[in-house]
């Protein structure tokens, strides 16, 4: 079966070293198997989107020599498909009118945030004129999968998270639903992404089960952190990577990913570097966690 992978950035800021690492890992893992690599712009959360960020991400990937198959998929053009999935899930969902304050008072803080206490699951007959979210009912069977980097990972959705939101009260579809619908739509069977999404995966597997969709293989790669030990992210204003020293930056990505890549001066250009990466990629060498801080080029400051 043809391996199909993807990189799915949200345009909430420019590409930073951590996202380039994720793009590189997913790209090489797929290309080494002669598979397809797709680009999806996850632009559902309009309030968090930064104008121009999607274009900037696409141009930076292009400058670094990434080549994607097919057209880029934009999630904001997929709303009808999410509505269809929501309708299909109807027997497993209910409207939720709870405020954040209510959840904090009635629920309890779990490892992954506030555990929803199930208030609206027990009282489904509340007035429907109020703005409401849609939650999916969870159960207390653990959902387990084997991650190619992290190994066996299990979560009991009901006790560790509670019923979770698939349509937000502001009318936006939640990431969990959109990602599952689109991974299936694009035929993705290998998901390689940052370890910050490891604990989202059981929710996605659960939705795949309810929707009768195939489950991709998952690999969660370590997160790049800054000198303060914070994950590099658009939220904590990780600097955008520049396109001047591309070979050096890609070599830093490969070293970060545990790959015994030769020094940057060994590669005359990005093409020779990609050729090396495709021939030598080894997922088994990717460390579970990474402890070295990085600057914008992935170098230890
Ligand atoms: N859009 C998500 C992000 O930028 C990634 C989603 C995924 O890879 O599943 O963090």
């Amino acid at each position: 079966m043809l391996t199909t992978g993807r990189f799915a950035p949200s345009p909430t800021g420019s590409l930073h070293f951590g996202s380039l690492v994720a793009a590189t890992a997913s790209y090489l893992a797929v290309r080494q198997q002669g598979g397809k690599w797709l680009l999806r712009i996850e632009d559902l959360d309009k309030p968090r989107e930064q104008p121009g960020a999607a274009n900037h991400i696409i141009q930076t990937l292009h400058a670094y020599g990434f080549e994607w198959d097919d057209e880029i998929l934009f999630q904001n053009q997929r709303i009808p498909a999410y509505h269809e999935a929501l309708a299909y899930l109807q027997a497993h969902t209910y409207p939720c009118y709870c405020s954040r304050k209510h959840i904090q008072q009635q629920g309890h803080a779990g490892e992954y945030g506030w555990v929803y206490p199930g208030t609206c699951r027990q009282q489904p007959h509340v007035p429907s004129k109020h703005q409401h979210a849609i939650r999916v009912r969870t159960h207390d069977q653990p959902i387990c999968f084997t991650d190619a980097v992290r190994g066996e990972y299990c979560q009991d959705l009901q006790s560790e998270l509670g019923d979770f939101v698939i349509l937000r009260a502001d009318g936006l579809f939640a990431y969990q639903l959109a990602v599952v619908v689109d991974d299936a739509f694009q035929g993705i069977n290998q998901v390689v992404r940052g370890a910050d999404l490891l604990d989202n995966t059981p929710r996605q597997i659960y939705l795949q089960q309810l929707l009768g969709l195939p489950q991709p293989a998952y690999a969660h790669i370590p997160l790049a952190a800054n000198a303060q030990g914070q994950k590099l992210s658009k939220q904590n204003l990780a600097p955008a990577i520049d396109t001047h020293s591309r070979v050096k930056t890609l070599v830093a990505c490969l070293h970060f990913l545990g790959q015994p890549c030769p020094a940057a001066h060994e590669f005359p250009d990005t093409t020779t570097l990609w050729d090396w990466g495709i021939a030598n990629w080894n997922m088994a060498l990717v460390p579970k966690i990474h402890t070295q801080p990085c600057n914008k080029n992935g170098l230890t400051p």
Side-chain angles (χ1 to χ4, degrees):
M1 191 182 26
L2 185 72
T3 304
T4 306
R6 47 61 160 193
F7 178 51
S10 307
T12 50
S14 306
L15 210 63
H16 55 76
F17 181 73
S19 31
L20 188 69
V21 165
T24 302
S26 65
Y27 190 65
L28 291 179
V30 155
R31 288 290 189 233
Q32 188 177 56
Q33 297 170 66
K36 263 170 88 167
W37 189 74
L38 306 177
L39 181 57
R40 181 168 79 227
I41 300 292
E42 300 209 322
D43 54 353
L44 274 187
D45 196 342
K46 286 289 161 198
R48 286 186 53 228
E49 188 167 335
Q50 248 192 44
N55 258 339
H56 185 269
I57 291 171
I58 294 166
Q59 279 162 17
T60 308
L61 291 171
H62 181 68
Y64 269 80
F66 287 90
E67 289 171 358
W68 46 92
D69 300 285
D70 303 349
E71 301 270 293
I72 300 173
L73 189 71
F74 289 85
Q75 285 195 322
N76 72 21
Q77 287 165 14
R78 299 270 304 140
I79 308 296
Y82 309 143
H83 275 293
E84 217 174 285
L86 188 69
Y88 188 90
L89 289 172
Q90 203 187 5
H92 305 280
T93 62
Y94 59 87
C96 174
Y97 301 82
C98 297
S99 64
R100 196 178 297 250
K101 195 164 152 211
H102 170 90
I103 296 170
Q104 290 178 359
Q105 283 165 353
Q106 302 295 314
H108 64 276
E111 200 180 331
Y112 314 106
W114 291 94
V115 177
Y116 181 64
T119 318
C120 292
R121 183 205 267 239
Q122 285 121 34
Q123 312 162 346
H125 304 296
V126 274
S128 60
K129 61 181 191 298
H130 293 101
Q131 251 194 346
H132 61 270
I134 304 275
R135 287 183 187 268
V136 65
R137 264 186 227 103
T138 52
H139 53 61
D140 61 2
Q141 304 287 312
I143 295 201
C144 298
F145 70 102
T146 304
D147 188 87
V149 175
R150 301 291 287 263
E152 164 106 341
Y153 185 86
C154 290
Q155 227 177 34
D156 180 314
L157 292 180
Q158 194 168 90
S159 64
E160 296 187 72
L161 288 150
D163 299 342
F164 61 92
V165 170
I166 52 172
L167 181 72
R168 293 164 27 171
D170 60 8
L172 294 177
F173 281 98
Y175 157 68
Q176 309 297 350
L177 183 72
V179 75
V180 160
V181 170
D182 286 342
D183 279 342
F185 174 69
Q186 294 189 286
I188 305 297
N189 51 21
Q190 177 176 275
V191 173
V192 180
R193 60 185 177 190
D196 52 334
L197 295 168
L198 180 70
D199 64 39
N200 285 235
T201 309
R203 272 171 278 176
Q204 293 170 19
I205 292 174
Y206 181 55
L207 289 178
Q208 285 153 5
Q209 290 171 351
L210 294 181
L211 288 163
L213 299 175
Q215 180 181 323
Y218 289 97
H220 287 87
I221 57 161
L223 295 181
N226 62 19
Q228 288 74 46
Q230 298 163 318
K231 153 193 167 201
L232 292 188
S233 72
K234 294 155 194 157
Q235 286 73 35
N236 64 31
L237 305 177
I241 46 162
D242 57 49
T243 49
H244 301 306
S245 40
R246 298 189 290 273
V247 168
K248 225 168 164 182
T249 308
L250 287 173
V251 165
C253 282
L254 287 168
H255 285 166
F256 183 90
L257 289 162
Q259 309 297 304
C261 174
H265 66 261
E266 307 270 337
F267 298 106
D269 49 29
T270 51
T271 309
T272 44
L273 182 127
W274 285 125
D275 288 347
W276 184 94
I278 292 167
N280 293 284
W281 174 256
N282 185 352
M283 188 71 89
L285 296 177
V286 176
K288 281 193 172 53
I289 49 167
H290 202 279
T291 46
Q292 290 292 318
C294 312
N295 69 10
K296 68 173 176 164
N297 292 321
L299 306 170
T300 306

